[in-house]
Amino acid sequence: MSSEPLYCAEQIKIPPSLPDILKQFTKDAIRSQPQDVCAWAADYFKALSEGKTPNVPKELQFSSSSNSSAQNDEIIQSLKSLAKQLSQGDGTVSKTALQTACNSCGVPAQLTSDILSLPPFSQESVAWRDFVVVACASAAPGTDESIKLFAEVVPGSTPDQRTAAQSFLASL
């Protein structure tokens, strides 16, 4: 790259592999939920530069491991109430309406905020079942348990909906 100042987009040359590397890095960071993102990123890129596979969990990591069984039971009950309330409408709801419903059903505010900060929920209108899937993942130790919990929380969920829920979790 020359030392002349940059004035327009045409002067910027993006390496062809950079978008894919950054996309995978972002997904891995979301899955890992590191406390120190910079230190984690340094280790991540060091592993890549050495031709090694970075240490990344296969599933989205939540801080729920510190939740007690009683806390998880409360979350499950609040998610059941939420699913019952939201199932009266169509499959999408505004973020504001979802936050109000979560609050009225007793879903912990921090959990609601954490989930809504994830990229799949960046739009003003969100799929409430996807929200419930991620919330179930916060109260279950793995993907299979999350899907079983989803089936319990959303009674009458079809096999197709459970498959879609599993695919959604895998995409995070």
Side-chain angles (χ1 to χ4, degrees):
M1 184 169 189
S2 70
S3 62
E4 60 187 78
L6 295 176
Y7 295 106
C8 66
E10 289 78 20
Q11 291 177 289
I12 301 171
K13 303 292 184 217
I14 298 173
S17 61
L18 183 60
D20 290 337
I21 290 170
L22 292 179
K23 182 178 179 182
Q24 189 61 50
F25 166 77
T26 302
K27 286 181 177 183
D28 291 345
I30 290 169
R31 281 189 191 102
S32 299
Q33 296 290 304
Q35 291 293 328
D36 184 345
V37 176
C38 291
W40 181 86
D43 292 341
Y44 181 90
F45 286 112
K46 181 177 184 205
L48 284 181
S49 71
E50 294 172 350
K52 298 176 184 173
T53 302
N55 184 17
V56 177
K58 292 183 181 185
E59 297 177 354
L60 182 61
Q61 301 296 298
F62 288 94
S63 59
S64 66
S65 59
S66 63
N67 286 350
S68 69
S69 178
Q71 287 173 315
N72 279 345
D73 289 345
E74 289 176 25
I75 291 171
I76 291 166
Q77 290 308 312
S78 63
L79 291 175
K80 285 180 179 180
S81 297
L82 179 68
K84 184 176 181 182
Q85 181 177 336
L86 294 177
S87 66
Q88 305 305 313
D90 66 8
T92 60
V93 64
S94 73
K95 281 174 120 172
T96 304
L98 180 61
Q99 288 171 316
T100 300
C102 286
N103 188 40
S104 71
C105 292
V107 177
Q110 187 62 49
L111 176 63
T112 301
S113 176
D114 288 349
I115 294 171
L116 290 177
S117 70
L118 294 171
F121 304 104
S122 62
Q123 302 299 317
E124 179 50 38
S125 181
V126 298
W128 70 263
R129 280 185 182 87
D130 290 348
F131 177 90
V132 172
V133 168
V134 176
C136 287
S138 76
T143 302
D144 290 342
E145 293 85 355
S146 298
I147 301 308
K148 289 175 188 171
L149 182 55
F150 174 78
E152 178 186 335
V153 167
V154 183
S157 62
T158 65
D160 285 345
Q161 288 171 331
R162 290 189 292 275
T163 299
Q166 190 168 14
S167 296
F168 178 77
L169 274 180
S171 73
L172 293 177

